[in-house]
Amino acid sequence: MDLSIQQLAQQSGTTSRTLRHYGDIGLLPPSRIASNGYRHYDQAALVRLQRILLLRELGLGLPAIASVLEHETSPAAALRTHVDLLRAEQARLVRLIASVEKTIAAQEKGEEIMAEKMFDGFDHTHYKEEVQQRWGKDAYARSDSWWRGMDAASQQTWKDRLATLNSGWTAAAASGMAADSAAAQKLARRHVEWLGSIPGTPASTSGSTPRGNLKDYILGLSEIYVADERFAANYGGTAGATFVRDALAVYAEREL
Amino acid sequence: MDLSIQQLAQQSGTTSRTLRHYGDIGLLPPSRIASNGYRHYDQAALVRLQRILLLRELGLGLPAIASVLEHETSPAAALRTHVDLLRAEQARLVRLIASVEKTIAAQEKGEEIMAEKMFDGFDHTHYKEEVQQRWGKDAYARSDSWWRGMDAASQQTWKDRLATLNSGWTAAAASGMAADSAAAQKLARRHVEWLGSIPGTPASTSGSTPRGNLKDYILGLSEIYVADERFAANYGGTAGATFVRDALAVYAEREL
DNA sequence: GGTAAAGGTTGACGCATCGTCAATGTCAAG
DNA sequence: CTTGACATTGACGATGCGTCAACCTTTACC
């Protein structure tokens, strides 16, 4: 029951070029190569390909797919990580669209006047937004390789810290405590410290960026938590996200 | 008031490498090149750079930015097109996230059993979803260059057709007519024809893909209209989107 | 058996956007 | 004169294949 490369391509909905590429990078080697050089694939290869395509549809990169298939440890864990990345990207797009629409609206109001003033004020007024957007972009681009560069233990530690933080925030928000209470501020500090473990951001200690950036970064980030429902869901709803933002804002003003 | 490349980079928040790149591709040529080869930038260049960076933050690609800055005709129009593309990408992510979460949930329920059955049934059960997702991915990747490859007149024609369609659908849905009525079916036919003007999709006439794909493509697409609120907004709310889906489904079953 | 049409192979370039060396030149300061 | 900061021009890398190009095999038909 051998399949030729074209047959496999057609069955799975990809192209033969893609299959040769997967073969080249070792992601899906042909199960047999005939004496004339032709590639042949068996049923196992078909199944593997289907899994690859599924993971690809879910947005994983080819190296990530390879690592999932090799360390056959719980695809669910890999997917859970990935969904977080997707959410970050999704949140970025939400802000992006809002920002573009705001720009369009502003331009339509007074094209002539705005045309210059808008760009004049760019680096001052829009600074916070810029930080937000840049953060989203950079972080997503780097987080994947960063994440996969960690060993399993570090990954677990990182996720544990996140889980602890989230449950702490949720409980604090539900208890009705004040955002500037000692307990909330303690959470805020831990949150900022946790953020520091993500490289390539103003909060990362390895960066040589001045602290002024960090404050704006935290303030911008906390606004995202409120503005985007996806984050809000992590903190027990909009009220929870608002609480997180307020606590972070107080902390940023006081300590950064 | 000349600026060196480093000064400009620092002021604008980019890197000197980026500036040299922009110079190389002609997007932002240095206003003066000294006899020693050093680049120097004046105030006009700074303003231009700020506009470039703003557009980049909004997600435009460098060729798109160049075309906006050259044909200085209404940046709003360019942005409006872009926001549509962003929305498509955003919709794709929404579906992607939902899909990944569904996968995770399914896996957590019965890991051992599902692990194989899931992938067994992949190409049958998930085919529609695959079509949806692939459409979103491909379309976004290609639509930008496709769109910018058109002359202004063609762009206008295309947008007019879309606007006409949308208002037609909205009106039809509001009138309470049946999805299989003649008027609705006429709209559906026009809708499918309009879809054919987008290259790289099963609906495009230039493609040599068999008609079986087209039917699934249309069915998958119409589901998106309902599932995603962004599209629904185009058709006068969820009810409108449902109407569009039903009408397209009837059309697909009868004609494709 | 000849010939043409499919279908196969291995390169290798291209795309978008710079990051990141490498090798080298220039200028201001000690 | 030497050192160090700042400048230059290449050129590779990364992502995931699309798209030729040049060439060989197999199949089908006359």
Side-chain angles (χ1 to χ4, degrees):
Chain A
M1 280 296 288
D2 261 0
L3 291 175
S4 77
I5 193 168
Q6 295 283 23
Q7 290 171 329
L8 180 56
Q10 196 169 355
Q11 279 220 9
S12 59
T14 53
T15 67
S16 61
R17 177 66 179 87
T18 298
L19 293 176
R20 293 200 293 114
H21 182 59
Y22 291 170
D24 288 348
I25 65 176
L27 182 56
L28 182 71
S31 38
R32 186 171 66 84
I33 296 187
S35 57
N36 57 13
Y38 283 25
R39 291 166 171 81
H40 294 274
Y41 299 85
D42 57 15
Q43 290 300 318
L46 173 58
V47 171
R48 185 178 170 92
L49 175 58
Q50 286 177 336
R51 302 192 57 179
I52 291 172
L53 294 180
L54 174 60
L55 292 172
R56 199 188 61 174
E57 289 299 321
L58 298 180
L60 292 181
L62 299 189
I65 293 175
S67 101
V68 168
L69 291 183
E70 284 178 26
H71 330 301
E72 197 66 55
T73 61
S74 172
L79 290 179
R80 228 189 310 274
T81 300
H82 187 63
V83 86
D84 291 342
L85 298 180
L86 285 179
R87 253 197 274 271
E89 173 68 359
Q90 211 261 349
R92 186 180 75 87
L93 278 180
V94 168
R95 282 175 280 128
L96 209 50
I97 291 174
S99 174
V100 175
E101 283 178 336
K102 222 167 56 189
T103 305
I104 293 176
Q107 277 193 337
E108 284 179 341
K109 269 202 219 166
E111 271 204 302
E112 299 176 15
I113 312 111
M114 295 300 291
E116 297 163 13
K117 288 213 168 177
M118 241 188 60
F119 299 114
D120 267 3
F122 173 53
D123 46 4
H124 308 297
T125 326
H126 292 13
Y127 183 66
K128 238 167 69 182
E129 272 185 32
E130 193 190 328
V131 169
Q132 289 177 13
Q133 293 174 348
R134 174 155 321 175
W135 168 77
K137 242 169 128 179
D138 290 357
Y140 183 72
R142 276 190 277 234
S143 58
D144 195 47
S145 66
W146 160 67
W147 175 260
R148 284 189 288 103
M150 294 167 66
D151 58 18
S154 306
Q155 290 185 349
Q156 193 55 49
T157 303
W158 195 84
K159 291 203 287 193
D160 285 345
R161 289 180 70 185
L162 173 56
T164 308
L165 267 174
N166 279 350
S167 61
W169 279 121
T170 307
S175 78
M177 71 171 63
D180 62 353
S181 67
Q185 288 305 297
K186 197 168 167 186
L187 273 171
R189 187 164 46 75
R190 284 203 294 141
H191 195 95
V192 171
E193 286 168 1
W194 170 76
L195 284 170
S197 67
I198 306 173
T201 70
S204 104
T205 52
S206 64
S208 60
T209 47
R211 274 127 202 93
N213 278 353
L214 176 54
K215 179 176 171 181
D216 283 333
Y217 171 68
I218 298 295
L219 289 175
L221 205 53
S222 62
E223 287 298 334
I224 298 179
Y225 291 158
V226 175
D228 194 276
E229 62 217 315
R230 307 284 162 166
F231 283 97
N234 273 340
Y235 297 114
T238 304
T242 306
F243 178 78
V244 173
R245 179 198 56 185
D246 292 339
L248 283 176
V250 169
Y251 178 79
E253 290 297 343
R254 285 185 186 166
E255 307 287 345
L256 303 179
Chain B
M1 280 299 287
D2 260 0
L3 292 174
S4 76
I5 193 170
Q6 295 283 22
Q7 290 170 329
L8 180 58
Q10 197 169 353
Q11 278 220 12
S12 58
T14 53
T15 66
S16 60
R17 177 65 180 88
T18 298
L19 293 177
R20 295 199 290 115
H21 181 58
Y22 290 171
D24 288 347
I25 64 176
L27 182 58
L28 181 71
S31 38
R32 186 171 66 83
I33 296 187
S35 57
N36 56 13
Y38 283 26
R39 291 166 170 82
H40 294 274
Y41 298 85
D42 58 15
Q43 290 299 319
L46 173 58
V47 171
R48 185 179 170 90
L49 175 57
Q50 286 177 337
R51 301 191 60 180
I52 291 172
L53 294 180
L54 174 60
L55 292 173
R56 199 187 60 171
E57 290 297 322
L58 299 181
L60 292 183
L62 298 190
I65 293 175
S67 100
V68 168
L69 291 183
E70 284 177 26
H71 330 302
E72 197 64 60
T73 61
S74 173
L79 288 179
R80 229 190 309 272
T81 299
H82 186 64
V83 86
D84 290 344
L85 298 180
L86 284 179
R87 253 197 274 272
E89 173 68 0
Q90 210 257 351
R92 186 180 75 88
L93 278 180
V94 168
R95 282 174 281 129
L96 212 48
I97 290 174
S99 171
V100 175
E101 281 177 338
K102 222 167 55 187
T103 304
I104 293 176
Q107 277 193 337
E108 284 178 341
K109 268 199 218 165
E111 271 205 304
E112 298 175 15
I113 311 109
M114 294 301 291
E116 296 163 13
K117 289 214 169 176
M118 243 187 58
F119 300 114
D120 265 2
F122 175 52
D123 47 3
H124 307 297
T125 326
H126 292 9
Y127 183 66
K128 243 167 62 182
E129 272 186 33
E130 195 188 326
V131 169
Q132 292 177 13
Q133 293 174 350
R134 173 155 323 174
W135 169 78
K137 237 171 134 182
D138 290 355
Y140 183 72
R142 278 189 276 232
S143 57
D144 195 48
S145 65
W146 159 67
W147 174 261
R148 283 187 291 101
M150 294 166 69
D151 58 14
S154 306
Q155 289 185 350
Q156 194 56 49
T157 303
W158 194 84
K159 290 203 287 192
D160 287 346
R161 289 180 71 185
L162 173 56
T164 308
L165 266 174
N166 278 351
S167 60
W169 280 121
T170 307
S175 77
M177 71 172 62
D180 61 353
S181 68
Q185 287 305 297
K186 199 171 167 184
L187 273 171
R189 188 165 44 78
R190 284 204 294 141
H191 194 95
V192 171
E193 285 166 3
W194 169 76
L195 284 170
S197 68
I198 305 173
T201 70
S204 109
T205 51
S206 64
S208 59
T209 48
R211 275 124 200 95
N213 279 352
L214 177 53
K215 179 175 171 182
D216 284 331
Y217 171 69
I218 298 295
L219 289 175
L221 206 53
S222 62
E223 288 299 332
I224 298 179
Y225 290 158
V226 175
D228 196 274
E229 62 219 317
R230 307 284 162 167
F231 284 97
N234 274 339
Y235 299 115
T238 305
T242 305
F243 177 77
V244 173
R245 179 198 56 184
D246 292 341
L248 283 176
V250 168
Y251 179 78
E253 290 297 344
R254 286 185 187 166
E255 307 288 339
L256 303 180

